[in-house]
Amino acid sequence: MEYQEHYTENPVARKNMYDEEGRAAKATKIVAVLEDHLGDLSGLSILDVSCSTGLMPRCFAPHFAKVTGIDIDEGAVAFAKENNDLDNVEFHVMDALHTGFEENAFDIVVCNQMYEHVPDAAQLLQEIHRILVPGGTCYFGATNRLKVIETHYGRLPFLAWLPKPLAHLYLKILGRGDRYYETLYTYWTLKRMCADFEVTDYTVEVVQQPERFGAEDTLRPGSMQQKLALLLLKVAYWFSPGYIWLLTKPPTQTR
């Protein structure tokens, strides 16, 4: 299986790539969760394994000693480089499955809403494990395959639930594309793929306290949406639309 071609021709993807406000909101949430778990981040290095146009890494810059962004999309990385004037931020065209970084290279890795875009998600997590320092942390924002509304091609119900041939046909009939490239996994598969890490689950905490973790853009405190989300997490956590996990490489473990 190869990487998706012509990804940026997808209008949903293209809109997100240049959405400064949306990317800043995501970066704020990531930093808030990491600070809550790790405390002061100012002496640490961070790698974003899907930096796209570089908007989120530039938001990380005030909080970290060194920020690195990588992406396989040459055009997006070119845009990131052209618009970067920060001394502690750098960008590279690079395959997240085969980064070329040395072992134990980064204190933190961000893998946010991207595992479904690579040909081999298990290999991605293995590579993240390899390049994290012992005791290092990966912010893993992961969408659940059982999410009812799939948003990569607009708001399409049950797209991720279908076998690939039917999913391809679904997109073609609606005129949204020729092929459903993304591969999402259920809670149980995601847990198995993260078995080499110690998992700290922030999903419930973020839903309980969206104002504390910068998630008010998607979840208003005290709203019916928040109450329903908390009920779902209590009775059917496996059915949550997505998860926020911090994956820690055990201090004495190397590959």
Side-chain angles (χ1 to χ4, degrees):
M1 184 176 177
E2 301 296 330
Y3 277 98
Q4 184 176 18
E5 295 182 3
H6 314 301
Y7 175 70
T8 56
E9 294 178 9
N10 177 343
V12 176
R14 192 158 188 83
K15 179 177 181 291
N16 291 334
M17 287 169 61
Y18 295 95
D19 179 7
E20 293 190 23
E21 184 176 345
R23 294 282 172 157
K26 290 179 186 294
T28 296
K29 178 169 64 177
I30 290 168
V31 170
V33 170
L34 290 170
E35 285 183 334
D36 184 78
H37 187 66
L38 298 172
D40 182 24
L41 306 172
S42 61
L44 303 180
S45 60
I46 185 170
L47 169 69
D48 184 346
V49 294
S50 58
C51 71
S52 186
T53 51
L55 300 180
M56 284 176 55
R58 297 211 304 272
C59 293
F60 295 149
H63 305 278
F64 295 89
K66 183 178 180 181
V67 181
T68 304
I70 65 171
D71 204 290
I72 203 164
D73 185 333
E74 295 182 9
V77 174
F79 179 92
K81 289 180 176 180
E82 290 167 5
N83 290 275
N84 178 43
D85 59 357
L86 300 169
D87 293 337
N88 67 330
V89 180
E90 61 182 41
F91 298 102
H92 304 279
V93 175
M94 197 174 286
D95 181 353
L97 304 185
H98 309 279
T99 65
F101 293 121
E102 295 182 358
E103 291 186 14
N104 309 329
F106 295 96
D107 299 303
I108 297 173
V109 173
V110 172
C111 179
N112 187 49
Q113 308 299 329
M114 77 83 72
Y115 83 81
E116 66 269 27
H117 294 286
V118 299
D120 189 335
Q123 185 176 338
L124 169 67
L125 286 162
Q126 290 170 8
E127 179 68 357
I128 290 171
H129 187 283
R130 186 186 71 81
I131 62 179
L132 274 173
V133 300
T137 299
C138 171
Y139 178 101
F140 188 56
T143 300
N144 185 355
R145 183 181 178 181
L146 298 182
K147 182 179 180 182
V148 175
I149 304 297
E150 224 283 28
T151 56
H152 285 103
Y153 301 85
R155 296 179 59 80
L156 300 180
F158 305 112
L159 175 61
W161 294 30
L162 299 174
K164 284 291 186 179
L166 290 180
H168 300 333
L169 181 61
Y170 188 4
L171 289 182
K172 290 178 181 178
I173 290 173
L174 295 179
R176 303 291 180 87
D178 294 326
R179 179 169 175 256
Y180 181 46
Y181 173 85
E182 289 75 13
T183 300
L184 293 165
Y185 294 104
T186 63
Y187 162 77
W188 299 282
T189 302
L190 291 169
K191 285 288 285 186
R192 285 197 298 271
M193 290 196 302
C194 296
D196 285 345
F197 298 90
E198 297 170 358
V199 179
T200 304
D201 194 334
Y202 265 81
T203 310
V204 175
E205 284 191 60
V206 172
V207 174
Q208 286 177 331
Q209 304 177 74
E211 69 283 5
R212 176 181 174 188
F213 294 104
E216 294 166 288
D217 59 319
T218 57
L219 197 63
R220 186 165 56 85
S223 65
M224 182 57 67
Q225 180 190 12
Q226 183 192 34
K227 294 175 183 177
L228 290 173
L230 288 170
L231 178 62
L232 175 66
L233 289 170
K234 182 177 181 179
V235 302
Y237 179 82
W238 52 269
F239 197 61
S240 173
Y243 305 102
I244 298 173
W245 295 344
L246 295 186
L247 311 178
T248 301
K249 179 177 176 178
T252 59
Q253 183 178 351
T254 58
R255 275 199 174 274

